Structure formats: structure tokens, C-alpha cells
Amino acid sequence: MKFFFLLIFTFLNFSYCQSKHESLVSEIEDLISKEKYEKALVLLQDRLSANRSNAEILSKNKPNQSRLFALSEDRTKIVWTENKTLYFKDLVNDNRNSIELKLRPDSIQLSANGNYVVVQYPLKQYGGCALFGYSTLDSSLEHESIVHIPCKTGMAISNSGDLIFYFFENQLFVEKTGKNSKPEKFLSSDLFPSPYPKLKIQYHISPIGNEYLVWSGVGGAYHLFFLNIESKKVSLLSKDIVLPKFYYNNGNSGYVVGGKIGDLYLKEVNYQQGKSPSINRGIPIVTREAYSWRLTGKDEFITTNQNEPNQPMKWKVTGKKEHFPFFLDRLWGVAGDKIVYESIRGELVLDDLTFSEEDWKVYEYFKKVRKLNDG
């Protein structure tokens, strides 16, 4: 008897979804026949912007100011901010945590393993930013640095949460977390020369395993260095980096954007503990592909078309491109086999990239109506 009712429920649910889709198609066809293209576009865009049934809503909140987002090097742990709260989620073990912060942070940096985070708070009265370190998993660490540093400057926290690194007054400092700690000079910034030394230099840091990548430069021109903490050895990896950002892949590699404006390359950095990283020549990309994350498929990446409406696009090294049939506000990154994005309504969403025939059919209608509307 229970099985019979389950069949009935499944059939009714399917019929409802089917009729809902068919109702939309019928309405779109009617609007097309009446040449009401703009109204049809609105309906189609609403449908393609809606949350799909297999999506996980990480947050329904729409914060007053933009979120900050970071993920671990293996892309299994994520953190994000909403106003004065920092949220943590382990995608493998489904662990969650939240931390009430002092202020809305100016920037955040996650440790490579995702267990600790360092936060900059803007100090409007004094200028610069205060520096705090936290455990993402629990309340085992809340460290306040005595130093106020320039906002947006490079910073990092170790995998064990016991060390914080940051640039201040042309020096790289290290600070132990815990009571009675004080900053110590670690390395001179002379070891991280910029392409334009006469201009004010910007430093950025990203953790890779127990070591770090360091960017030194300004605007769209940076040098990329590898910093071995134990030996204090600094080695130059590349002189032609455009963006001070590292796109994590699988815990052993990631990507940087090199070349120059108008001649960009997505370069892969491979690393393992105890060895210096290697960086390849890279693959040529266009500007919109500069913000790309590697997918699990061979030589597949995802970015957005950066148009209105914003739409995810898969591209391959061979040059093949495929636009996915849904719209979003911002692609935050790839976490495991799924993507994390901000919906047009301001929600934070975790979703896969599997689509139904109905999704593709609605998207085909969207392209058709948009073409008709554009004349």
C-alpha cells in the first residue's frame, strides 16, 4: 500500500513539473506570436535564474555589502562573510560553523587546509587595518595582532594556526598567535622585487601546502615568487603575471594568469611538499577567461561570459565553448565537483552542472527571443 501511494505521489509530482514547464512554453509561444519579446525575455530569464531542485542554498540572506569568499587548496572547505559574520562549511564532512566578527572585514585569507583564517578589519578612526586570526572549526583561536597594517596588503596564516605572516613597511613579518606575541621581521622585501620598483608596491600572499606564493608589483604587472618558510628561501617563478590571484585546483596545483594585457596565458603551477613549484608556459586565453576555475573534466574550465545576464561558460583547451542554461550574479569558485555562486536574488548557492532537457529547451527559447527582440 505504501508503495502504491509513493507511485501516485511521484506521478503527480512529475505531472505538476511537466505541466509547469509546458505552461511556460505555451505562454512564451503566445507572446512570440504577439511580438511581445521583452515580456517573454523577462519570463525566460526568471526561469533560468531560479534555483534548481538539486541546488543547496548555503545562505538565503542578501547581505548589505558584498560577501568575501575563500576556499581551501583542495576545494573541500569554504568560508564566506555576510556583514559581520563569517561562515565555514566542510563540503565533505558537512561540518558548519559561524563566527561573529568585530566589524565587517575588509579582506580575508584562508589557510591552505581551510582550518584557520586571517582577517583584516578597517580602522576608520586611525587608518589602516587591524589583524585577527581565527579557527574556522571552533573557538580554539582568536588572536589579535598589536600591529595595524595597510588594508589589502598581503597576509597569510599557517595550517596549524600558530603563525601569521604579513607585509608592513617593506618587510615581511611573522607573528606567533597566542598571548604575549609580538611581530618579528622575517624577510626583507628586497627579496621580492617588483617590475616597477619606483611605484608603490603591492604584495599578495597565497598558501600552497605549508609554503607560500608571493606576488610583488602594481596594476597588471607582477613578479611571482615561491617562499619556503623553513629555509627562508625565496625563488622567482615568473616575471610576467597579470593578476595577483591563485585559482586552486586539487591541493597539488593551481593556476595564475600571466602574459600581458591583450596577450594572456593561464599558467599551471604544480607543487608538492619539500620541492620548489613548477610553472608551465600556459595556454592562451581571452580576457573573460582570466577568471577561470579548473573543472574535474580533462582540460575543462569554467568562467562567466561577463555579460548581462551573467552566465556560466565551460571552455576547453581545444577552444570549444559551451554556455550553461542558467544565469547568476557572480561565480565565486569551484568547490569539489560543484560550483559556488551568488544568485541574482543574493543567495549563496552550491550546485552541480547537470541540466535537464527542459533547462536546455528554455535556454534555446531565450536565445531565440533575444534574437527576435534585437531585430
Side-chain angles (χ1 to χ4, degrees):
M1 195 68 174
K2 289 182 178 179
F3 180 71
F4 174 77
F5 281 116
L6 181 61
L7 282 175
I8 293 294
F9 175 78
T10 304
F11 174 76
L12 290 175
N13 188 54
F14 174 77
S15 299
Y16 169 75
C17 293
Q18 188 179 42
S19 62
K20 187 177 181 181
H21 171 72
E22 290 179 343
S23 176
L24 174 64
V25 170
S26 177
E27 187 172 4
I28 296 303
E29 289 284 7
D30 182 60
L31 291 170
I32 291 174
S33 67
K34 297 175 181 177
E35 298 186 357
K36 295 183 178 181
Y37 304 132
E38 290 188 3
K39 186 174 181 180
L41 279 176
V42 170
L43 291 176
L44 290 166
Q45 187 168 330
D46 286 346
R47 163 63 174 80
L48 293 169
S49 303
N51 295 326
R52 298 183 302 132
S53 59
N54 49 342
E56 178 183 352
I57 311 302
L58 298 172
S59 175
K60 294 182 178 180
N61 301 325
K62 184 175 183 178
N64 298 329
Q65 295 175 296
S66 298
R67 290 182 174 92
L68 302 175
F69 180 87
L71 73 172
S72 61
E73 66 176 350
D74 64 359
R75 308 195 308 197
T76 64
K77 298 174 183 175
I78 59 175
V79 298
W80 70 93
T81 65
E82 292 179 4
N83 302 325
K84 295 194 296 182
T85 304
L86 184 139
Y87 296 92
F88 165 84
K89 180 175 173 62
D90 184 327
L91 301 175
V92 175
N93 300 309
D94 199 29
N95 295 332
R96 297 170 178 261
N97 190 33
S98 62
I99 302 170
E100 294 302 317
L101 303 175
K102 309 291 182 183
L103 301 165
R104 182 192 176 275
D106 188 74
S107 60
I108 60 175
Q109 178 69 277
L110 196 61
S111 62
N113 61 11
N115 294 341
Y116 297 92
V117 64
V118 62
V119 175
Q120 290 183 12
Y121 294 120
L123 301 170
K124 294 182 179 180
Q125 185 175 354
Y126 304 101
C129 274
L131 203 62
F132 277 70
Y134 299 94
S135 166
T136 57
L137 304 173
D138 48 44
S139 58
S140 61
L141 176 66
E142 182 179 334
H143 172 78
E144 179 180 3
S145 172
I146 63 172
V147 175
H148 294 167
I149 63 175
C151 295
K152 308 293 186 186
T153 196
M155 61 178 182
I157 189 167
S158 63
N159 276 333
S160 54
D162 60 337
L163 298 175
I164 291 177
F165 297 91
Y166 51 87
F167 280 93
F168 181 63
E169 295 183 347
N170 296 322
Q171 303 283 342
L172 178 62
F173 282 80
V174 62
E175 183 175 327
K176 292 183 178 180
T177 58
K179 295 181 179 179
N180 303 319
S181 67
K182 62 179 182 179
E184 297 179 4
K185 291 182 180 180
F186 190 71
L187 289 173
S188 169
S189 60
D190 293 340
L191 295 171
F192 308 96
S194 165
Y196 300 104
K198 293 184 178 180
L199 299 178
K200 186 177 180 181
I201 301 173
Q202 299 172 350
Y203 299 100
H204 301 267
I205 309 175
S206 284
I208 52 171
N210 293 318
E211 315 300 344
Y212 299 89
L213 295 177
V214 178
W215 288 256
S216 170
V218 63
Y222 294 88
H223 288 167
L224 179 64
F225 300 89
F226 169 63
L227 169 60
N228 184 297
I229 295 300
E230 186 175 350
S231 66
K232 290 190 175 182
K233 183 180 178 181
V234 177
S235 54
L236 177 67
L237 288 181
S238 178
K239 287 186 175 182
D240 64 342
I241 301 300
V242 176
L243 295 176
K245 183 173 178 61
F246 192 59
Y247 295 94
Y248 289 120
N249 181 23
N250 55 11
N252 295 303
S253 68
Y255 292 85
V256 294
V257 178
K260 58 185 179 181
I261 303 301
D263 185 24
L264 301 176
Y265 292 83
L266 192 63
K267 299 171 176 279
E268 184 176 13
V269 179
N270 286 282
Y271 58 91
Q272 55 182 305
Q273 193 62 35
K275 295 184 178 181
S276 295
S278 63
I279 183 170
N280 66 8
R281 183 181 182 278
I283 53 178
I285 57 173
V286 297
T287 301
R288 67 179 177 182
E289 294 167 353
Y291 299 90
S292 292
W293 295 88
R294 175 74 180 265
L295 296 171
T296 53
K298 184 179 180 181
D299 296 329
E300 291 183 346
F301 298 82
I302 187 170
T303 185
T304 58
N305 60 8
Q306 300 176 20
N307 294 329
E308 182 63 38
N310 207 4
Q311 184 179 14
M313 178 189 76
K314 179 173 72 175
W315 62 274
K316 295 186 178 183
V317 175
T318 56
K320 184 179 179 181
K321 296 176 173 60
E322 180 183 41
H323 287 86
F324 290 118
F326 77 108
F327 301 135
L328 49 77
D329 184 66
R330 179 170 182 172
L331 175 66
W332 281 110
V334 175
D337 294 327
K338 300 183 177 183
I339 63 170
V340 181
Y341 66 91
E342 197 158 310
S343 73
I344 292 175
R345 294 166 299 283
E347 303 156 318
L348 192 68
V349 183
L350 178 69
D351 202 354
D352 59 26
L353 295 171
T354 57
F355 302 95
S356 67
E357 290 184 13
E358 291 179 357
D359 293 329
W360 289 108
K361 187 171 183 179
V362 172
Y363 179 51
E364 289 302 316
Y365 267 107
F366 178 83
K367 290 191 294 182
K368 175 183 177 180
V369 175
R370 182 169 58 182
K371 187 175 181 179
L372 290 170
N373 190 55
D374 291 342

